[in-house]
Amino acid sequence: MQSANTINNTISPKKLGKSFAGIFCLIAISILLFACENDIKGIPALRKKQVGVETGRDIESFYSVDAKVKARLTSPYMVQYMADSPYVEFPKSLHVDFYNDTMRIQTKMDAKYGKYYQYDNKVFLRDSVIVKNSITGDTLKTNELWWDKKKQTLFNDKPSHIFKKDGTQLFAKDGLEAAQDLTWYTFRKVSGPVSVPANGLPK
């Protein structure tokens, strides 16, 4: 015969089932919350993996129009981002040679940083941008510049200087538009001495 204490401490099967059910619910909720937390934390990492990134060193790229090479780009380092709007960065400088119809280097362009927008077919240049026509000696210096590969033009809305071979210096306060070989250029605002060639002002 069981004592009174033993009877009071015995748990009925019905109560035992309820206890197990409660414990199971707590465990299930904990697992669910833990899983949700991990999923939320994992979303940025997942998105990061979806954006493909490729790097390259000692880059050499040619740009052609109608099967004729128009430009050659070189850079010590390149980073390509395959996002919705893919682009390529040149964070450690880039150099571009522009060729004329006889395949002679007519113009050279340098910058400490470049960014190529593939869909727009344009290159953004920044930091110590220099464009020099090797034939005429005209040199453009500015801190920011856009190169439109399709139109073969250069443009910006930043202060820019043109240094001519004869010593003339032109200052464009609010930017300019120019041919990529500097055979013509248009200033938004200009100051400084201006030399007038025999065939008239540049376009």
Side-chain angles (χ1 to χ4, degrees), residues 69-87:
V69 177
K70 293 295 182 180
R72 170 179 170 266
L73 184 151
T74 57
S75 176
Y77 184 68
M78 175 199 80
V79 184
Q80 184 174 13
Y81 297 89
M82 302 303 295
D84 293 335
S85 299
Y87 62 92

Side-chain angles (χ1 to χ4, degrees), residues 119-132:
Y119 284 163
D120 296 331
N121 212 15
K122 294 177 182 178
V123 180
F124 173 68
L125 305 162
R126 187 183 69 208
D127 297 340
S128 302
V129 184
I130 300 176
V131 183
K132 182 175 182 179

Side-chain angles (χ1 to χ4, degrees), residues 101-195:
D101 293 336
T102 63
M103 286 302 297
R104 178 182 177 184
I105 295 177
Q106 185 169 13
T107 310
K108 297 181 179 181
M109 180 167 64
D110 291 276
K112 291 183 178 180
Y113 172 87
K115 188 175 184 179
Y116 171 45
Y117 295 88
Q118 291 178 302
Y119 284 163
D120 296 331
N121 212 15
K122 294 177 182 178
V123 180
F124 173 68
L125 305 162
R126 187 183 69 208
D127 297 340
S128 302
V129 184
I130 300 176
V131 183
K132 182 175 182 179
N133 187 306
S134 303
I135 299 174
T136 65
D138 289 357
T139 302
L140 164 65
K141 293 184 178 182
T142 184
N143 196 49
E144 291 185 7
L145 189 68
W146 285 91
W147 169 31
D148 189 321
K149 294 175 64 178
K150 186 176 182 179
K151 294 181 179 180
Q152 300 181 39
T153 57
L154 309 171
F155 64 93
N156 68 6
D157 57 0
K158 303 296 181 181
S160 305
H161 290 83
I162 292 284
F163 299 87
K164 299 180 70 65
K165 190 175 181 178
D166 62 4
T168 302
Q169 297 183 23
L170 304 175
F171 175 63
K173 181 180 179 182
D174 296 324
L176 53 75
E177 182 178 359
Q180 66 184 22
D181 57 7
L182 297 183
T183 52
W184 62 265
Y185 36 85
T186 301
F187 297 121
R188 289 187 172 88
K189 286 186 180 180
V190 63
S191 63
V194 179
S195 61

Side-chain angles (χ1 to χ4, degrees), residues 40-59:
I40 293 171
K41 290 181 178 180
I43 287 174
L46 180 61
R47 288 177 178 173
K48 187 175 182 181
K49 290 179 181 178
Q50 289 176 344
V51 180
V53 178
E54 296 181 357
T55 61
R57 299 184 183 277
D58 300 324
I59 302 302

